[in-house]
Amino acid sequence: MADPTDSAAAAAGLRARLRWDAADGSIHDGPRRYLMMRPDVLMGTLARLPGPVRAQVQDAFADSVAAHGIDSIRAYFRQVGEDPPKLMAATVQAAADLGWGAWRFEPGRGRLGLAVTGSPFAQGAATAARPACAPIRGMLQAVATVATGIESEAYELRCVACGAPRCEFEARWAAC
Ligand SMILES: [Zn+2]
């Protein structure tokens, strides 16, 4: 378990905490293992599926990122003293460190917006009939849930893969 009191490591960001172990062939942030993969390989897998199956896999991808990513988000939340704006700042930095694009949270009444430029999922998808950035949608859901303690649902409203200038997401809370 990463030491949540290690504020120096937390302040340095994910990139400074990642440990590459050549003997094991692994990358870790504390107990959490990471995988480095080309986005064209990942998204090319989805492109080889028929449309309805691709949509199902995208939804499963978002659910899995939300379920597993919430562990990382809770760790960030503890590291920043359970302060929601600081959680968002730490998530923006972690997303950049992971190569998940440039994120900007846009909090609103009863919602949490997120704008992303340079999404690797949109870039890897080339062109798509529906939004391609399911992993980011899942992570937004985890951030919104952890920041408020209320279960949320997240949606990708516009996607670069569909011709939009940037990817735009929104999380809404069940109670709103
Ligand atoms: Zn997108």
Side-chain angles (χ1 to χ4, degrees), residues 119 122 131-133 156 158-161 167 169:
S119 162
C133 306
E156 185 170 12
R158 277 170 278 281
C159 184
V160 168
C167 298
F169 305 80

Side-chain angles (χ1 to χ4, degrees), residues 15 21 39 63 112-113 129 147 151 161:
R15 187 166 41 167
D21 186 321
D63 287 348
L112 177 61
E151 286 293 325

Side-chain angles (χ1 to χ4, degrees), residues 45-122:
T45 305
L46 292 176
R48 283 162 169 75
L49 299 172
V53 177
R54 192 182 315 142
Q56 281 186 321
V57 172
Q58 287 274 33
D59 286 344
F61 206 167
D63 287 348
S64 180
V65 169
H68 293 281
I70 204 162
D71 175 43
S72 298
I73 297 298
R74 286 200 179 109
Y76 301 160
F77 203 38
R78 286 193 300 271
Q79 285 163 355
V80 299
E82 304 201 346
D83 181 285
K86 286 183 181 171
L87 171 64
M88 290 178 213
T91 303
V92 166
Q93 187 180 5
D97 287 349
L98 285 173
W100 281 36
W103 290 25
R104 193 178 73 219
F105 284 102
E106 299 173 340
R109 187 181 174 86
R111 66 183 286 279
L112 177 61
L114 172 66
V116 175
T117 55
S119 162
F121 309 106

